[in-house]
Amino acid sequence: MKPRLVAVGDNVVDCYPDLGVMYPGGNALNVAVHARRLGAESGYLGALGTDAAGRVVRGALAAEDVDVSLTRTVDGPNATATVRLVDGERRFTGGDEGVSRFRLSPADLDRIAEADLVHTGECSFMEDQLADLAASARRLSFDFSERPWGYVAAHAHHAGVAVVSAPSGSRDRAVALARRVQELGPATVAVTLGSAGAVLVCGDDAAWAPAEPVSVVDTLGAGDAFIARLLVGLVRDEDLPDLIAAATSYASRACTSYGAFGHEAPLHSSTKESA
C-alpha cells in the first residue's frame, strides 16, 4: 500500500528578485510535493490566491499530481517570500502572508483522519488548531524549524513526529536535544544539522547520517525534502539507520537546483512590488 499523507498549512511563491524568477514553495506544500514524488498518495490542504502567483502554485500541484480536493482558492493575493542567495545559502528578506490563513472545517478533519500521517509546521499559522489536528490525525508531524525552546515546549505535546533545526549544533548535542523534545511527547524526533547531516531518535533508538556531498546551488526547501523522505519512510517502517541516510541524501540532492522543487516562472511586476 502507498503511504497516505496530507500536508496542512503554508504555501508561498518564493521570489528571487536577483534572478527575475519565482518558484512555488512553502513548508507544507513542499512536503506534499516531495512525498508524492517519493510514491506516496499526497494531498495539500491550504489556501491559494487568485493572482498570478496563486496560479503558479496551483499549476505546480496539478503537474505534480498532488491531490488538491482540500485546497481552497481565496480571492486575493497568494503568499510570497523574497529570497536572496549568498553562496548558495538562502536568505529570506521579506514576504507577505496573503490569503494563506484559514480555518479547518469538520469535513477537513474527517479527511485528515483517513491519512497515515499529517504534517504541518511553524510557518502555517495553525497553532490554535493543533489540538483539533492532533485529535483527528493518526499521527501528526510538526516542523519546529529553528523556533526557540519556549515555542517547542508549548506545542510539541500535540505531535507524534517532531523536526527541529540546529544548523550550528553538534551530533551529540543534537541527540540530547532530540531526547529533550521526546520528553514533551513526540515518540520520533529528527534534528537537522545543515551540512553536518541529521540525527533521528525513535523510542530508545538513535541514528545519525552525514549530508551527502553535492554542489550546492540553493538550500531553499532542503529541510522540507528531508521531512518528506522521513515521513514516507516512517509510514513504510524503514530501519532507522537506512531511513536517516536516505532522508539526508534526498535533502542534499534538493540543494543542487533553484527553488524548492522547480517549476520556475517569470517574476511578474506586481509580485516584485509585493516582495
Side-chain angles (χ1 to χ4, degrees):
M1 292 179 60
K2 290 183 177 180
R4 294 173 294 176
L5 181 144
V6 175
V8 181
D10 63 317
N11 78 86
V12 300
V13 286
D14 292 309
C15 303
Y16 292 66
D18 296 333
L19 302 178
V21 297
M22 60 183 176
Y23 297 90
N27 173 256
L29 186 89
N30 295 342
V31 170
V33 168
H34 281 291
R36 184 71 190 96
R37 289 183 176 183
L38 290 161
E41 294 181 2
S42 176
Y44 172 65
L45 198 170
L48 308 182
T50 49
D51 57 356
R55 292 191 293 274
V56 166
V57 176
R58 181 169 287 279
L61 287 168
E64 296 287 345
D65 195 30
V66 173
D67 182 0
V68 294
S69 60
L70 293 173
T71 306
R72 293 106 157 105
T73 299
V74 180
D75 188 34
N78 205 84
T80 60
T82 306
V83 181
R84 285 190 158 86
L85 298 174
V86 180
D87 296 328
E89 290 289 331
R90 62 102 175 99
R91 298 284 186 270
F92 292 112
T93 60
D96 192 308
E97 67 181 55
V99 300
S100 57
R101 292 181 186 254
F102 62 93
R103 303 299 300 179
L104 296 166
S105 70
D108 293 332
L109 295 173
D110 287 343
R111 288 283 301 279
I112 282 168
E114 299 173 359
D116 296 309
L117 207 150
V118 176
H119 174 75
T120 191
E122 52 92 26
C123 291
S124 292
F125 310 115
M126 302 298 297
E127 289 85 355
D128 64 338
Q129 301 182 78
L130 280 180
D132 291 335
L133 269 176
S136 298
R138 298 180 188 180
R139 185 158 43 165
L140 179 65
S141 162
F142 195 94
D143 179 20
F144 290 93
S145 188
E146 297 181 57
R147 287 291 190 115
W149 179 253
Y151 182 91
V152 178
H155 302 297
H157 66 281
H158 292 298
V161 180
V163 182
V164 180
S165 297
S168 60
S170 67
R171 176 179 173 181
D172 289 343
R173 289 176 63 185
V175 172
L177 175 58
R179 293 297 186 198
R180 190 181 178 195
V181 176
Q182 267 189 321
E183 293 174 357
L184 300 173
T188 301
V189 182
V191 180
T192 60
L193 300 168
S195 60
V199 162
L200 178 61
V201 170
C202 188
D204 295 331
D205 299 324
W208 168 82
E212 184 176 298
V214 297
S215 296
V216 174
V217 172
D218 182 2
T219 60
L220 180 71
D224 304 334
F226 172 90
I227 292 170
R229 182 62 184 87
L230 171 69
L231 299 184
V232 170
L234 287 173
V235 176
R236 291 174 175 162
D237 200 24
E238 297 177 8
D239 291 338
L240 245 63
D242 293 339
L243 175 52
I244 192 64
T248 53
S249 176
Y250 190 75
S252 296
R253 284 180 273 124
C255 297
T256 61
S257 58
Y258 290 110
F261 57 88
H263 298 276
E264 178 183 301
L267 187 55
H268 295 277
S269 57
S270 59
T271 311
K272 289 179 184 178
E273 291 167 4
S274 66

